[in-house]
């Protein structure tokens, strides 16, 4: 009997193959880093090397089988997940001809072109697709049309990276709605391509492959796929999904009304809804979930994990040296000190990422404010804790915004990703939001979500939710501290006003935005 499930996870910075048993225990993982080079002709570009990267992915699959000693015939099914927004173009022979990774930023001119041609179009398309020009594929495809017209004419199909992995394994090219919806070229309600969107944006209407729903069997591993990866020929390959959608499955958030927070370089608040209805003010991204007939409101916070790394490397050399000597993580030492700082950091606040405003997305210059020249109260641990609190305030803002759009908010939060390894950050998140915060045993949940989909696709789990119940395990629940919650309740509206003032300084060109969407 086949006893294992495999996930192939194509992230922004690496690709990995992960094996799980049917109870959700990770058995093995092999990972290889990859990079996406900028084409010197095109500033902001981030090319995806499909030849090298398929070799790296194949090596990971072969490597994890060798590492664990598991026979390929014991793998019941494989599924895939990836960074969202990255796209590939194929020709009529089914060959890859162009690809860019997810944070490719070469298409600023095309965003300006779209806005100039029809200032109201972006918001109109948002209400059909849930997307804006800031992240979707429309400006990138137009860039190919404008800058590489011969290649554009050669294009026969557009796809995403998780679908590309399946294509390489099975020879079947199809796009699924969770990642496909991030292109901005799908209708949220029908979960399939909307050629009217393409037409209105000046994109060809004949480049869209078939859509297969998440959790269905796309095909089986071909002889060629088996020879390249070491998988057994005939192994079922199940349609996967985008990384955040599969991450929510991997932490057990499969039903409407459930929510998850993923804390990494960027933070995502994902709230499941029973419909694809969008926000009237176009402030929040809406995607198809990888669970059929479920959608997600997604609110993004920019760079919290990168802010933490900057602060650690710039100001905490002592903790880094002590951690190296003690064999621990510098963040653990920083957390021990920051726990002693009272909630609210004596009134000090900071501004990094703003609460999301998808249709007009920009962030103020990084700022710490309202501190005194008192080293006992305002030392590096106060500044460090302020960063933790700032990110939790962002989540609070995103919960409020999604509630305004949907009328609903979750009773509890599931918190995963690297930030959830910090007990202090978990507690601050509970205190700021006033909600219990549960942390799963598997912190990096995306691959587990893919494995659950693989098991569901071949009938091991009766439903995706039941698969999650069987495979997802929790290690702790953090209850909000009522006294700290009062402090943060008073702090939140003040922080919002301070951020608005900082954003105004950027709008007046007195300070520089930490980030601003193309075309703004």
């Amino acid at each position: 009997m086949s006893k294992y499930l495999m996930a192939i996870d194509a992230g922004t910075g690496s690709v990995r193959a992960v094996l799980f048993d049917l109870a959700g225990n990770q058995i093995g993982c092999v990972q290889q880093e990859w990079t996406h080079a900028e084409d010197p002709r095109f500033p902001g570009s981030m090319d995806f090397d499909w030849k090298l990267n398929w070799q790296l992915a194949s090596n990971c699959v072969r490597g994890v089988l060798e590492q664990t000693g598991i026979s390929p015939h014991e793998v019941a099914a494989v599924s895939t997940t990836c960074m969202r927004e990255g796209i590939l173009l194929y020709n009529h022979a089914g060959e890859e001809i162009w690809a860019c990774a997810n944070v490719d930023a070469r298409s600023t001119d095309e965003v300006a072109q779209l806005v100039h041609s029809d200032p109201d179009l972006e918001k109109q398309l948002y209400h059909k697709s849930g997307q804006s020009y800031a992240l979707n594929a429309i400006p990138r495809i137009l860039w190919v049309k404008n800058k590489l017209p011969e290649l554009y004419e050669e294009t026969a199909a557009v796809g995403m990276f998780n679908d590309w992995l399946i294509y390489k394994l099975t020879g079947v090219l199809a796009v699924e709605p969770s990642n496909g919806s991030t292109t901005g070229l799908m209708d949220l309600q029908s979960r399939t391509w909307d050629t009217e969107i393409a037409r209105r944006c000046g994109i060809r209407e004949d480049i869209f492959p078939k859509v297969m729903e998440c959790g269905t069997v796309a095909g089986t591993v071909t002889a060629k796929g088996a020879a390249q990866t070491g998988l057994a020929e005939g192994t079922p390959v199940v349609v996967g999904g985008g990384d955040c959608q599969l991450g929510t499955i991997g932490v057990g958030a499969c039903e409407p009304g459930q929510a998850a927070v993923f804390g990494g370089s960027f933070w995502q608040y994902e709230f499941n809804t029973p419909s694809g209805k969008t926000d009237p003010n176009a402030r929040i991204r809406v995607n198809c979930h990888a669970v059929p007939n479920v959608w997600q409101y997604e609110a993004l916070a920019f760079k919290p994990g990168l802010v933490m790394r900057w602060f650690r490397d710039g100001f905490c050399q002592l903790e880094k040296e002590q951690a190296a000597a003690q064999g621990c993580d510098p963040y653990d030492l920083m957390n021990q000190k920051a726990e002693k700082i009272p909630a609210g950091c004596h009134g000090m606040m900071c501004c990094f990422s703003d609460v999301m405003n998808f249709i007009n997305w920009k962030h103020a210059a990084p700022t710490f404010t309202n501190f005194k020249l008192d080293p006992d109260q305002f030392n590096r641990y106060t500044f460090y804790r302020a960063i933790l609190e700032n990110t939790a305030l962002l989540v609070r803002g995103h919960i409020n915004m999604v509630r305004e759009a949907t009328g609903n908010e979750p009773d509890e939060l599931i918190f995963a990703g690297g930030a959830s390894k910090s007990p202090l950050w978990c507690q601050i998140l509970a205190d700021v939001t006033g909600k219990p915060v549960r942390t799963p045993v598997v912190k990096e949940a995306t691959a587990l979500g893919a494995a659950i989909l693989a098991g569901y696709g071949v009938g091991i789990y009766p439903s995706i939710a039941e698969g999650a119940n069987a495979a997802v395990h929790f290690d702790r629940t953090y209850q909000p501290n009522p006294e700290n919650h009062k402090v943060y309740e008073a702090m939140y509206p003040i922080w919002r006003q301070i951020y608005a003032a900082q954003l105004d300084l950027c709008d007046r060109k007195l300070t520089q935005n930490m980030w601003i969407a193309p075309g703004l």
Side-chain angles (χ1 to χ4, degrees):
M1 177 183 174
S2 299
K3 297 180 291 185
Y4 302 99
L5 300 165
M6 181 180 287
I8 308 175
D9 182 358
T12 301
S14 65
V15 61
R16 58 183 179 154
V18 192
L19 272 172
F20 295 90
D21 66 19
L22 304 187
N25 300 303
Q26 184 174 309
I27 306 303
C29 176
V30 170
Q31 178 170 307
Q32 292 200 18
E33 293 186 354
W34 56 21
T35 57
H36 314 296
E38 181 180 71
D39 187 325
R41 298 173 298 169
F42 308 118
S45 61
M46 183 176 273
D47 289 338
F48 183 81
D49 185 342
W50 57 82
K51 290 182 180 178
L52 173 62
N53 292 342
W54 171 241
Q55 184 179 354
L56 295 176
S58 298
N59 291 345
C60 289
V61 174
R62 188 178 296 279
V64 78
L65 292 170
E66 293 174 355
Q67 177 197 78
T68 58
I70 289 170
S71 165
H73 296 283
E74 292 185 285
V75 178
V78 179
S79 190
T80 66
T81 184
C82 71
M83 58 175 132
R84 298 168 305 166
E85 295 97 35
I87 58 172
L88 295 106
L89 302 182
Y90 303 83
N91 63 17
H92 287 279
E95 300 165 335
E96 304 95 327
I97 56 174
W98 185 85
C100 72
N102 57 343
V103 290
D104 184 278
R106 75 182 83 193
S107 53
T108 300
D109 291 347
E110 284 65 34
V111 173
Q113 171 190 333
L114 287 161
V115 172
H116 179 73
S117 65
D118 185 346
D120 298 323
L121 180 60
E122 184 177 21
K123 193 166 187 178
Q124 293 170 15
L125 297 184
Y126 165 82
H127 289 300
K128 294 198 76 174
S129 70
Q131 308 300 311
S132 80
Y133 300 147
L135 295 176
N136 73 30
I138 292 170
R140 293 168 183 173
I141 296 174
L142 284 176
W143 182 92
V144 175
K145 179 182 179 180
N146 292 340
K147 307 297 195 298
L148 303 173
E150 292 181 2
L151 190 146
Y152 179 75
E153 288 304 315
E154 191 183 348
T155 299
V158 60
M160 319 300 285
F161 292 146
N162 55 322
D163 309 312
W164 167 73
L165 291 168
I166 290 176
Y167 177 59
K168 301 299 282 188
L169 290 170
T170 68
V172 176
L173 178 58
V175 173
E176 50 75 30
S178 76
N179 203 359
S181 64
T182 70
T183 64
L185 290 158
M186 280 190 170
D187 177 88
L188 274 176
Q189 301 296 332
S190 65
R191 299 169 71 95
T192 192
W193 302 112
D194 187 332
T195 54
E196 182 191 359
I197 294 176
R199 180 184 55 76
R200 294 186 69 184
C201 293
I203 292 172
R204 283 170 45 200
E205 301 172 42
D206 60 349
I207 61 171
F208 303 114
K210 65 181 177 181
V211 175
M212 296 184 72
E213 189 59 78
C214 308
T216 58
V217 176
T220 59
V221 176
T222 62
K224 182 179 179 181
Q228 292 173 331
T229 63
L231 289 166
E233 185 178 353
T235 302
V237 181
V238 176
V239 177
D243 53 6
C244 278
Q245 290 94 325
L246 292 200
T248 49
I249 293 173
V251 299
C254 302
E255 306 285 355
Q258 291 183 301
V261 176
F262 297 99
S265 297
F266 291 66
W267 278 41
Q268 295 94 10
Y269 169 63
E270 306 284 349
F271 180 73
N272 294 343
T273 73
S275 81
K277 178 184 175 183
T278 54
D279 172 37
N281 298 309
R283 297 167 297 174
I284 317 162
R285 192 184 204 189
V286 187
N287 303 317
C288 296
H289 198 345
V291 179
N293 301 314
V294 180
W295 289 259
Q296 286 187 327
Y297 271 69
E298 177 178 273
L300 297 166
F302 265 56
K303 303 183 179 180
L306 300 178
V307 172
M308 291 283 282
R309 188 186 307 168
W310 159 75
F311 190 83
R312 179 199 65 191
D313 294 346
F315 301 96
C316 299
Q317 294 302 319
L318 176 61
E319 286 75 16
K320 291 176 73 173
E321 293 170 5
Q322 291 174 338
Q326 298 175 26
C328 64
D329 191 322
Y331 290 123
D332 292 338
L333 302 179
M334 294 155 66
N335 286 338
Q336 290 170 16
K337 297 290 188 179
E339 282 179 13
K340 300 175 183 178
I341 306 296
C345 293
H346 306 290
M348 186 178 76
M349 297 176 222
C350 59
C351 297
F352 290 95
S353 177
D354 194 9
V355 172
M356 189 174 185
N357 185 7
F358 201 23
I359 203 72
N360 187 28
W361 209 0
K362 48 192 173 181
H363 303 289
T367 308
F368 288 90
T369 190
N370 207 38
F371 57 92
K372 300 175 183 176
L373 304 181
D374 178 349
D376 292 328
Q377 287 193 342
F378 297 96
N379 51 51
R380 66 179 177 276
Y381 305 114
T382 319
F383 283 75
Y384 172 71
R385 183 181 177 113
I387 296 170
L388 304 181
E389 293 182 344
N390 175 76
T391 308
L393 290 167
L394 271 166
V395 175
R396 157 71 189 274
H398 288 153
I399 292 171
N400 289 356
M401 191 164 54
V402 173
R403 185 187 64 243
E404 291 170 8
T406 67
N408 295 298
E409 64 179 280
D411 296 324
E412 65 177 15
L413 296 174
I414 302 169
F415 187 28
S420 68
K421 298 173 185 176
S422 164
L424 177 58
W425 220 342
C426 294
Q427 187 60 55
I428 289 173
L429 183 61
D431 293 347
V432 169
T433 62
K435 298 180 184 298
V437 171
R438 301 172 73 198
T439 55
V441 172
V442 177
K443 302 290 190 282
E444 306 297 342
T446 301
L448 179 57
I452 291 167
L453 269 186
Y456 164 70
V458 295
I460 291 171
Y461 308 125
S463 70
I464 297 173
E466 288 172 276
N469 288 338
V472 178
H473 312 286
F474 293 90
D475 59 6
R476 186 168 174 184
T477 300
Y478 296 81
Q479 297 294 339
N481 178 308
E483 293 304 312
N484 289 351
H485 182 59
K486 289 179 183 176
V487 172
Y488 294 126
E489 282 287 281
M491 184 178 180
Y492 176 75
I494 297 172
W495 173 73
R496 293 289 284 144
Q497 292 182 64
I498 289 171
Y499 201 102
Q502 294 295 334
L503 206 54
D504 179 63
L505 291 176
C506 287
D507 291 343
R508 293 162 56 193
K509 307 303 181 186
L510 298 174
T511 55
Q512 293 184 351
N513 296 89
M514 184 178 77
W515 182 86
I516 186 166
L520 292 183

